[in-house]
Amino acid sequence: MLLVAKTVVAAMAAWVLARYLLPPAVSTFAPFTALVALQATVYRSVRDCLQYIVAMAAGATLAATLAAVAGVHGWTFALLTLIALCVGRIRRFGQQGIQVAIVGFFAFSSGQGQIDYIGHLIASVGIGALCGLAAHLVLAPARHTHHRQQAVTDLYSTMSRRLDDLADTLEANNPDRDHLRQWRRDWRSLSAECERTRHSIETEMENGRMNPRRAISGSGEALPRAREALTVAERSMDHLRSMSRTLDYALDSGELGNLPAAFRPGFSAVLRAVATVMEEMGRASATDPNFLDAKIDEAAAELDQVQQQGRTTREASPAVHALQGTLLTDAGRLLADLRSGRQSLART
């Protein structure tokens, strides 16, 4: 809403100034340029505005050149369109490439390629750009570093709670099948939330470029760390989904109840240890690497103990051994990803 309000004020100011200073034929370009110059971030506004100005200059120059050399005719207009569309495809114009043709049409048709019209057109665009960028400088977009960090922290807290719930389900005498299936559906929504959070972090990193507002202390490292932590969370979520799916199938087949008595509490202890690691890793403030390594080692030790117990259990059926192996493999891969993720976070 703030961006809309700034856009309305900037467009109005640009239109009033252009109507007062320039001919009516070019006054519309001023508020249009103000719209281009007011994007979600200052960096994007400056980038799009510069791309638009360069595209406008290219279109106006092309129209003036064709009008002066070959005159204003149907075939020259067609030639103008062809050249403008080809020039507009240059990657440096970005999304403003089509403006080469649009501005060329106005300069060729309404201005007949005359230098006076093109000069007024450039002035109108300049007024719009100044009004739009001035609105950003007067009231620059707010910084949201803490909110982006908190979103990642909340994601890790949710995943940690789910691991604790999985541990409770594994230990329960009568596991709640509907609850477990609800978790499987919730993993999909969490994956979508990861995409939204990643987009917001990248937007906030862009928002910090050229922003005149004072940066929060440590924001230069906080956002890259949050993005890397989100990548670790996405990889970890794959293994958590696999665990939930395996337990769901085991409930349906009845194999969950056939697991050895020592396996279920032992594996539950592994899940709770991993949940503690995820809770620490997701904190907004950087966690002590040595402390986090110690927590990961504790979880790995719990996993090794369960694996040793599984090797000494011979009376279980092949289906039960397969179930144990699947759960242990997912847990091992999850720990491996958390360990490599901890190293990645330490470098950011």
Side-chain angles (χ1 to χ4, degrees), residues 16-285:
V16 169
L17 288 173
R19 292 279 293 182
Y20 180 74
L21 298 174
L22 300 171
V26 298
S27 59
T28 306
F29 280 92
F32 181 77
T33 308
L35 295 180
V36 174
L38 272 167
Q39 303 297 324
T41 66
V42 177
Y43 169 77
R44 197 180 306 173
S45 297
V46 173
R47 183 198 64 193
D48 286 6
C49 189
L50 288 176
Q51 287 176 339
Y52 176 72
I53 291 174
V54 174
M56 181 275 303
T61 301
L62 181 59
T65 302
L66 279 175
V69 173
V72 179
H73 307 289
W75 69 270
T76 52
F77 183 84
L79 183 59
L80 167 67
T81 304
L82 175 62
I83 298 175
L85 290 175
C86 292
V87 172
R89 294 176 66 86
I90 296 175
R91 185 172 299 179
R92 289 188 177 274
F93 287 120
Q95 296 181 350
Q96 306 302 325
I98 191 63
Q99 299 301 327
V100 177
I102 293 174
V103 174
F105 291 165
F106 275 94
F108 192 82
S109 181
S110 300
Q112 301 293 302
Q114 297 177 3
I115 297 300
D116 290 343
Y117 179 89
I118 294 175
H120 292 148
L121 179 60
I122 293 173
S124 180
V125 170
I127 290 173
L130 290 175
C131 289
L133 294 177
H136 258 333
L137 293 177
V138 170
L139 191 59
R143 299 291 188 92
H144 301 288
T145 301
H146 176 70
H147 294 109
R148 306 301 175 245
Q149 288 179 289
Q150 190 60 45
V152 176
T153 298
D154 292 344
L155 175 65
Y156 269 89
S157 296
T158 300
M159 294 169 65
S160 178
R161 289 195 300 271
R162 294 289 168 77
L163 271 174
D164 284 331
D165 288 342
L166 280 176
D168 293 339
T169 298
L170 195 61
E171 287 182 326
N173 291 327
N174 296 305
D176 189 338
R177 183 174 301 167
D178 293 335
H179 198 184
L180 182 59
R181 289 179 177 174
Q182 180 62 43
W183 295 339
R184 291 188 62 185
R185 291 190 291 270
D186 288 347
W187 287 127
R188 289 192 289 269
S189 64
L190 278 177
S191 296
E193 184 64 28
C194 283
E195 290 297 325
R196 290 191 291 270
T197 303
R198 180 177 296 280
H199 177 72
S200 66
I201 289 174
E202 291 174 351
T203 300
E204 185 57 30
M205 292 176 70
E206 182 185 282
N207 186 37
R209 303 173 67 177
M210 299 184 177
N211 196 321
R213 285 183 184 263
R214 180 178 299 177
I216 299 174
S217 178
S219 61
E221 298 80 22
L223 289 175
R225 183 181 185 279
R227 184 173 61 181
E228 186 62 35
L230 190 62
T231 300
V232 177
E234 288 173 329
R235 291 202 304 264
S236 301
M237 205 175 297
D238 292 336
H239 307 305
L240 296 178
R241 279 199 300 265
S242 178
M243 284 187 200
S244 299
R245 185 170 57 250
T246 300
L247 289 176
D248 188 14
Y249 292 158
L251 273 173
D252 281 341
S253 64
E255 294 297 339
L256 187 62
N258 297 328
L259 285 171
F263 179 83
R264 293 170 69 172
F267 193 75
S268 296
V270 174
L271 295 182
R272 292 191 176 97
V274 174
T276 302
V277 172
M278 299 196 77
E279 190 74 30
E280 291 295 329
M281 186 174 287
R283 294 185 183 278
S285 58

